[in-house]
């Protein structure tokens, strides 16, 4: 199976099948684990991010546009991180030292969202050809379990992880609906 990533259309050089969906789901699980690792890194820098928000927001918007990730998804994800911030404001020297690390982790997170959306588009195309539903509550439960298992050793608050992935899953479903 091949998929034109620019148009998200299915090209029937290979018949679509459920095994391909499972393969793509495995890719999504790997991406989600990386997303959680970057989220944990950013969560540890949440105070510095609050101070740097005016500088980081335009950079995130440019990165999202360059990678084809919907800006509302990116803004929503980083707004959730900002809600997790504590009142303590870091020392300016600490903020300057971590700014590059925050920018790198932010870019990586957005790049992973783009990779995840690419997989979602491909799954959506196969599901459309096979006549399968966009929603799969069993799969959503599997992902929720994976996210929780991955978040605990990273010391990420589970409510934050659940909220972030609810946002991502809703965007994923909307993406699949648009590809039909």
């Amino acid at each position: 199976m091949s998929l034109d990533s620019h148009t998200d259309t299915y090209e029937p050089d290979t018949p679509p099948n459920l095994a391909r969906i499972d393969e793509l789901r495995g890719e999504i699980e790997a991406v989600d684990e990386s997303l959680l690792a970057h989220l944990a890194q950013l969560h540890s820098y949440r105070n510095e991010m609050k101070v740097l928000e005016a500088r980081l927001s335009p950079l995130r918007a440019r990165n999202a546009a360059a990678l084809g990730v919907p800006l509302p998804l990116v803004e929503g994800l980083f707004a959730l991180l900002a809600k997790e911030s504590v009142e303590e404001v870091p020392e300016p020297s600490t903020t300057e030292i971590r700014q590059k690390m925050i920018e790198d982790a932010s870019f990586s997170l957005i790049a992973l969202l783009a990779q995840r959306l690419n997989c979602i588009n491909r799954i959506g195309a196969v599901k459309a050809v096979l006549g399968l539903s966009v929603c799969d509550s069993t799969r959503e439960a599997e992902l929720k379990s994976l996210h929780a298992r991955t978040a605990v050793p990273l010391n990420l608050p589970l409510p934050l992880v659940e909220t972030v992935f609810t946002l991502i899953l809703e965007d994923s479903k909307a993406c699949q609906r648009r590809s039909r």
Side-chain angles (χ1 to χ4, degrees):
M1 176 184 74
S2 66
L3 188 67
D4 181 339
S5 62
H6 300 290
T7 60
D8 300 328
T9 58
Y10 173 73
E11 296 175 6
D13 56 346
T14 304
N17 59 55
L18 296 177
R20 181 64 179 142
I21 290 176
D22 288 340
E23 181 182 313
L24 291 167
R25 286 177 171 171
E27 288 181 37
I28 287 173
E29 288 175 8
V31 168
D32 284 358
E33 288 176 355
S34 293
L35 273 169
L36 285 165
H38 285 85
L39 188 62
Q41 184 179 13
L42 288 169
H43 187 261
S44 71
Y45 300 147
R46 61 194 178 279
N47 293 332
E48 290 90 342
M49 288 175 61
K50 192 172 195 175
V51 172
L52 295 167
E53 182 56 31
R55 285 186 263 175
L56 293 172
S57 184
L59 179 64
R60 287 193 305 257
R62 282 193 306 274
N63 290 337
L67 295 170
V69 177
L71 186 57
L73 176 61
V74 172
E75 289 174 341
L77 190 139
F78 282 93
L80 291 168
L81 279 171
K83 285 183 185 178
E84 288 284 317
S85 295
V86 294
E87 295 304 316
E88 178 184 322
V89 177
E91 295 293 321
S93 61
T94 304
T95 301
E96 291 170 11
I97 292 168
R98 291 198 176 170
Q99 179 176 355
K100 179 67 174 144
M101 294 167 71
I102 292 168
E103 289 173 0
D104 291 347
S106 296
F107 178 80
S108 294
L109 191 72
I110 294 167
L112 286 164
L113 286 171
Q115 186 178 348
R116 191 181 200 288
L117 287 172
N118 182 283
C119 287
I120 291 299
N121 285 335
R122 294 176 359 215
I123 287 173
V126 173
K127 282 182 175 180
V129 170
L130 294 176
L132 299 174
S133 173
V134 166
C135 297
D136 183 346
S137 58
T138 302
R139 178 63 179 157
E140 288 179 33
E142 290 170 358
L143 283 174
K144 186 175 181 176
S145 177
L146 170 74
H147 299 152
R149 284 192 318 272
T150 306
V152 170
L154 296 171
N155 295 317
L156 275 170
L158 289 180
L160 172 64
V161 171
E162 290 172 1
T163 305
V164 163
F165 278 97
T166 295
L167 179 68
I168 291 171
L169 286 173
E170 290 306 313
D171 187 77
S172 295
K173 289 181 211 175
C175 180
Q176 286 187 43
R177 286 185 190 105
R178 284 190 302 269
S179 71
R180 290 184 175 247

